mmCIF file with all atom_site columns, all heavy atoms in Angstrom:
data_model
loop_
_atom_site.group_PDB
_atom_site.id
_atom_site.type_symbol
_atom_site.label_atom_id
_atom_site.label_alt_id
_atom_site.label_comp_id
_atom_site.label_asym_id
_atom_site.label_entity_id
_atom_site.label_seq_id
_atom_site.pdbx_PDB_ins_code
_atom_site.Cartn_x
_atom_site.Cartn_y
_atom_site.Cartn_z
_atom_site.occupancy
_atom_site.B_iso_or_equiv
_atom_site.pdbx_formal_charge
_atom_site.auth_seq_id
_atom_site.auth_comp_id
_atom_site.auth_asym_id
_atom_site.auth_atom_id
_atom_site.pdbx_PDB_model_num
ATOM 1   N N   . PHE Q 1 142 ? -12.478 25.302 24.090 1.00 98.00 ? 153 PHE Q N   1
ATOM 2   C CA  . PHE Q 1 142 ? -11.923 24.477 25.171 1.00 98.00 ? 153 PHE Q CA  1
ATOM 3   C C   . PHE Q 1 142 ? -12.844 24.448 26.392 1.00 98.00 ? 153 PHE Q C   1
ATOM 4   O O   . PHE Q 1 142 ? -12.891 23.439 27.100 1.00 98.00 ? 153 PHE Q O   1
ATOM 5   C CB  . PHE Q 1 142 ? -10.526 24.986 25.567 1.00 98.00 ? 153 PHE Q CB  1
ATOM 6   C CG  . PHE Q 1 142 ? -9.406  24.475 24.683 1.00 98.00 ? 153 PHE Q CG  1
ATOM 7   C CD1 . PHE Q 1 142 ? -9.677  23.746 23.532 1.00 98.00 ? 153 PHE Q CD1 1
ATOM 8   C CD2 . PHE Q 1 142 ? -8.076  24.720 25.001 1.00 98.00 ? 153 PHE Q CD2 1
ATOM 9   C CE1 . PHE Q 1 142 ? -8.647  23.266 22.715 1.00 98.00 ? 153 PHE Q CE1 1
ATOM 10  C CE2 . PHE Q 1 142 ? -7.047  24.242 24.195 1.00 98.00 ? 153 PHE Q CE2 1
ATOM 11  C CZ  . PHE Q 1 142 ? -7.325  23.515 23.055 1.00 98.00 ? 153 PHE Q CZ  1
ATOM 12  N N   . VAL Q 1 143 ? -13.573 25.525 26.645 1.00 98.00 ? 154 VAL Q N   1
ATOM 13  C CA  . VAL Q 1 143 ? -14.532 25.520 27.764 1.00 98.00 ? 154 VAL Q CA  1
ATOM 14  C C   . VAL Q 1 143 ? -15.509 24.360 27.569 1.00 98.00 ? 154 VAL Q C   1
ATOM 15  O O   . VAL Q 1 143 ? -15.780 23.577 28.489 1.00 98.00 ? 154 VAL Q O   1
ATOM 16  C CB  . VAL Q 1 143 ? -15.288 26.870 27.848 1.00 98.00 ? 154 VAL Q CB  1
ATOM 17  C CG1 . VAL Q 1 143 ? -16.503 26.756 28.758 1.00 98.00 ? 154 VAL Q CG1 1
ATOM 18  C CG2 . VAL Q 1 143 ? -14.367 27.980 28.333 1.00 98.00 ? 154 VAL Q CG2 1
ATOM 19  N N   . ALA Q 1 144 ? -16.016 24.226 26.359 1.00 98.00 ? 155 ALA Q N   1
ATOM 20  C CA  . ALA Q 1 144 ? -16.977 23.156 26.084 1.00 98.00 ? 155 ALA Q CA  1
ATOM 21  C C   . ALA Q 1 144 ? -16.307 21.786 26.109 1.00 98.00 ? 155 ALA Q C   1
ATOM 22  O O   . ALA Q 1 144 ? -16.842 20.829 26.692 1.00 98.00 ? 155 ALA Q O   1
ATOM 23  C CB  . ALA Q 1 144 ? -17.637 23.403 24.724 1.00 98.00 ? 155 ALA Q CB  1
ATOM 24  N N   . LEU Q 1 145 ? -15.136 21.692 25.502 1.00 98.00 ? 156 LEU Q N   1
ATOM 25  C CA  . LEU Q 1 145 ? -14.454 20.388 25.473 1.00 98.00 ? 156 LEU Q CA  1
ATOM 26  C C   . LEU Q 1 145 ? -14.094 19.913 26.876 1.00 98.00 ? 156 LEU Q C   1
ATOM 27  O O   . LEU Q 1 145 ? -14.147 18.723 27.169 1.00 98.00 ? 156 LEU Q O   1
ATOM 28  C CB  . LEU Q 1 145 ? -13.192 20.476 24.608 1.00 98.00 ? 156 LEU Q CB  1
ATOM 29  C CG  . LEU Q 1 145 ? -13.414 20.334 23.095 1.00 98.00 ? 156 LEU Q CG  1
ATOM 30  C CD1 . LEU Q 1 145 ? -12.125 20.622 22.336 1.00 98.00 ? 156 LEU Q CD1 1
ATOM 31  C CD2 . LEU Q 1 145 ? -13.919 18.931 22.749 1.00 98.00 ? 156 LEU Q CD2 1
ATOM 32  N N   . GLU Q 1 146 ? -13.724 20.867 27.736 1.00 98.00 ? 157 GLU Q N   1
ATOM 33  C CA  . GLU Q 1 146 ? -13.400 20.517 29.132 1.00 98.00 ? 157 GLU Q CA  1
ATOM 34  C C   . GLU Q 1 146 ? -14.610 19.826 29.785 1.00 98.00 ? 157 GLU Q C   1
ATOM 35  O O   . GLU Q 1 146 ? -14.463 18.831 30.486 1.00 98.00 ? 157 GLU Q O   1
ATOM 36  C CB  . GLU Q 1 146 ? -13.012 21.801 29.889 1.00 98.00 ? 157 GLU Q CB  1
ATOM 37  C CG  . GLU Q 1 146 ? -12.706 21.631 31.361 1.00 98.00 ? 157 GLU Q CG  1
ATOM 38  C CD  . GLU Q 1 146 ? -11.357 20.981 31.666 1.00 98.00 ? 157 GLU Q CD  1
ATOM 39  O OE1 . GLU Q 1 146 ? -10.553 20.750 30.742 1.00 98.00 ? 157 GLU Q OE1 1
ATOM 40  O OE2 . GLU Q 1 146 ? -11.129 20.678 32.843 1.00 98.00 ? 157 GLU Q OE2 1
ATOM 41  N N   . GLN Q 1 147 ? -15.792 20.357 29.525 1.00 98.00 ? 158 GLN Q N   1
ATOM 42  C CA  . GLN Q 1 147 ? -17.016 19.747 30.072 1.00 98.00 ? 158 GLN Q CA  1
ATOM 43  C C   . GLN Q 1 147 ? -17.259 18.378 29.451 1.00 98.00 ? 158 GLN Q C   1
ATOM 44  O O   . GLN Q 1 147 ? -17.608 17.419 30.143 1.00 98.00 ? 158 GLN Q O   1
ATOM 45  C CB  . GLN Q 1 147 ? -18.232 20.642 29.795 1.00 98.00 ? 158 GLN Q CB  1
ATOM 46  C CG  . GLN Q 1 147 ? -18.177 21.999 30.469 1.00 98.00 ? 158 GLN Q CG  1
ATOM 47  C CD  . GLN Q 1 147 ? -17.934 21.870 31.967 1.00 98.00 ? 158 GLN Q CD  1
ATOM 48  O OE1 . GLN Q 1 147 ? -18.600 21.102 32.647 1.00 98.00 ? 158 GLN Q OE1 1
ATOM 49  N NE2 . GLN Q 1 147 ? -16.943 22.603 32.476 1.00 98.00 ? 158 GLN Q NE2 1
ATOM 50  N N   . LEU Q 1 148 ? -17.085 18.290 28.156 1.00 98.00 ? 159 LEU Q N   1
ATOM 51  C CA  . LEU Q 1 148 ? -17.343 17.018 27.464 1.00 98.00 ? 159 LEU Q CA  1
ATOM 52  C C   . LEU Q 1 148 ? -16.383 15.928 27.930 1.00 98.00 ? 159 LEU Q C   1
ATOM 53  O O   . LEU Q 1 148 ? -16.778 14.780 28.136 1.00 98.00 ? 159 LEU Q O   1
ATOM 54  C CB  . LEU Q 1 148 ? -17.242 17.212 25.943 1.00 98.00 ? 159 LEU Q CB  1
ATOM 55  C CG  . LEU Q 1 148 ? -18.375 18.058 25.342 1.00 98.00 ? 159 LEU Q CG  1
ATOM 56  C CD1 . LEU Q 1 148 ? -18.097 18.381 23.876 1.00 98.00 ? 159 LEU Q CD1 1
ATOM 57  C CD2 . LEU Q 1 148 ? -19.706 17.312 25.469 1.00 98.00 ? 159 LEU Q CD2 1
ATOM 58  N N   . VAL Q 1 149 ? -15.127 16.299 28.119 1.00 98.00 ? 160 VAL Q N   1
ATOM 59  C CA  . VAL Q 1 149 ? -14.155 15.313 28.614 1.00 98.00 ? 160 VAL Q CA  1
ATOM 60  C C   . VAL Q 1 149 ? -14.539 14.894 30.035 1.00 98.00 ? 160 VAL Q C   1
ATOM 61  O O   . VAL Q 1 149 ? -14.444 13.712 30.386 1.00 98.00 ? 160 VAL Q O   1
ATOM 62  C CB  . VAL Q 1 149 ? -12.714 15.876 28.536 1.00 98.00 ? 160 VAL Q CB  1
ATOM 63  C CG1 . VAL Q 1 149 ? -11.727 14.981 29.273 1.00 98.00 ? 160 VAL Q CG1 1
ATOM 64  C CG2 . VAL Q 1 149 ? -12.291 16.020 27.077 1.00 98.00 ? 160 VAL Q CG2 1
ATOM 65  N N   . GLY Q 1 150 ? -15.010 15.846 30.846 1.00 98.00 ? 161 GLY Q N   1
ATOM 66  C CA  . GLY Q 1 150 ? -15.474 15.519 32.199 1.00 98.00 ? 161 GLY Q CA  1
ATOM 67  C C   . GLY Q 1 150 ? -16.593 14.488 32.165 1.00 98.00 ? 161 GLY Q C   1
ATOM 68  O O   . GLY Q 1 150 ? -16.660 13.589 32.999 1.00 98.00 ? 161 GLY Q O   1
ATOM 69  N N   . ARG Q 1 151 ? -17.459 14.606 31.165 1.00 98.00 ? 162 ARG Q N   1
ATOM 70  C CA  . ARG Q 1 151 ? -18.581 13.672 31.060 1.00 98.00 ? 162 ARG Q CA  1
ATOM 71  C C   . ARG Q 1 151 ? -18.172 12.315 30.500 1.00 98.00 ? 162 ARG Q C   1
ATOM 72  O O   . ARG Q 1 151 ? -18.710 11.289 30.898 1.00 98.00 ? 162 ARG Q O   1
ATOM 73  C CB  . ARG Q 1 151 ? -19.616 14.230 30.065 1.00 98.00 ? 162 ARG Q CB  1
ATOM 74  C CG  . ARG Q 1 151 ? -20.623 15.110 30.698 1.00 98.00 ? 162 ARG Q CG  1
ATOM 75  C CD  . ARG Q 1 151 ? -21.632 15.545 29.642 1.00 98.00 ? 162 ARG Q CD  1
ATOM 76  N NE  . ARG Q 1 151 ? -22.009 16.914 29.938 1.00 98.00 ? 162 ARG Q NE  1
ATOM 77  C CZ  . ARG Q 1 151 ? -22.747 17.669 29.160 1.00 98.00 ? 162 ARG Q CZ  1
ATOM 78  N NH1 . ARG Q 1 151 ? -23.182 17.203 28.013 1.00 98.00 ? 162 ARG Q NH1 1
ATOM 79  N NH2 . ARG Q 1 151 ? -23.065 18.883 29.510 1.00 98.00 ? 162 ARG Q NH2 1
ATOM 80  N N   . HIS Q 1 152 ? -17.257 12.318 29.560 1.00 98.00 ? 163 HIS Q N   1
ATOM 81  C CA  . HIS Q 1 152 ? -17.049 11.103 28.767 1.00 98.00 ? 163 HIS Q CA  1
ATOM 82  C C   . HIS Q 1 152 ? -15.739 10.375 28.996 1.00 98.00 ? 163 HIS Q C   1
ATOM 83  O O   . HIS Q 1 152 ? -15.599 9.220  28.580 1.00 98.00 ? 163 HIS Q O   1
ATOM 84  C CB  . HIS Q 1 152 ? -17.171 11.430 27.266 1.00 98.00 ? 163 HIS Q CB  1
ATOM 85  C CG  . HIS Q 1 152 ? -18.524 11.940 26.898 1.00 98.00 ? 163 HIS Q CG  1
ATOM 86  N ND1 . HIS Q 1 152 ? -19.651 11.152 26.974 1.00 98.00 ? 163 HIS Q ND1 1
ATOM 87  C CD2 . HIS Q 1 152 ? -18.942 13.165 26.476 1.00 98.00 ? 163 HIS Q CD2 1
ATOM 88  C CE1 . HIS Q 1 152 ? -20.707 11.872 26.598 1.00 98.00 ? 163 HIS Q CE1 1
ATOM 89  N NE2 . HIS Q 1 152 ? -20.301 13.089 26.298 1.00 98.00 ? 163 HIS Q NE2 1
ATOM 90  N N   . SER Q 1 153 ? -14.762 11.031 29.640 1.00 98.00 ? 164 SER Q N   1
ATOM 91  C CA  . SER Q 1 153 ? -13.503 10.317 29.853 1.00 98.00 ? 164 SER Q CA  1
ATOM 92  C C   . SER Q 1 153 ? -13.715 9.215  30.883 1.00 98.00 ? 164 SER Q C   1
ATOM 93  O O   . SER Q 1 153 ? -14.396 9.409  31.897 1.00 98.00 ? 164 SER Q O   1
ATOM 94  C CB  . SER Q 1 153 ? -12.412 11.283 30.338 1.00 98.00 ? 164 SER Q CB  1
ATOM 95  O OG  . SER Q 1 153 ? -11.214 10.545 30.569 1.00 98.00 ? 164 SER Q OG  1
ATOM 96  N N   . GLY Q 1 154 ? -13.097 8.058  30.619 1.00 98.00 ? 165 GLY Q N   1
ATOM 97  C CA  . GLY Q 1 154 ? -13.236 6.961  31.575 1.00 98.00 ? 165 GLY Q CA  1
ATOM 98  C C   . GLY Q 1 154 ? -12.119 6.943  32.598 1.00 98.00 ? 165 GLY Q C   1
ATOM 99  O O   . GLY Q 1 154 ? -12.278 6.361  33.675 1.00 98.00 ? 165 GLY Q O   1
ATOM 100 N N   . ASP Q 1 155 ? -10.983 7.559  32.269 1.00 98.00 ? 166 ASP Q N   1
ATOM 101 C CA  . ASP Q 1 155 ? -9.816  7.453  33.147 1.00 98.00 ? 166 ASP Q CA  1
ATOM 102 C C   . ASP Q 1 155 ? -9.086  8.775  33.355 1.00 98.00 ? 166 ASP Q C   1
ATOM 103 O O   . ASP Q 1 155 ? -8.023  8.801  33.993 1.00 98.00 ? 166 ASP Q O   1
ATOM 104 C CB  . ASP Q 1 155 ? -8.832  6.415  32.576 1.00 98.00 ? 166 ASP Q CB  1
ATOM 105 C CG  . ASP Q 1 155 ? -8.384  6.767  31.154 1.00 98.00 ? 166 ASP Q CG  1
ATOM 106 O OD1 . ASP Q 1 155 ? -8.761  7.856  30.669 1.00 98.00 ? 166 ASP Q OD1 1
ATOM 107 O OD2 . ASP Q 1 155 ? -7.665  5.960  30.550 1.00 98.00 ? 166 ASP Q OD2 1
#
Side-chain angles (χ1 to χ4, degrees):
F153 277 7
V154 166
L156 278 172
E157 177 75 7
Q158 296 307 311
L159 291 171
V160 170
R162 271 183 216 172
H163 298 294
S164 178
D166 58 5

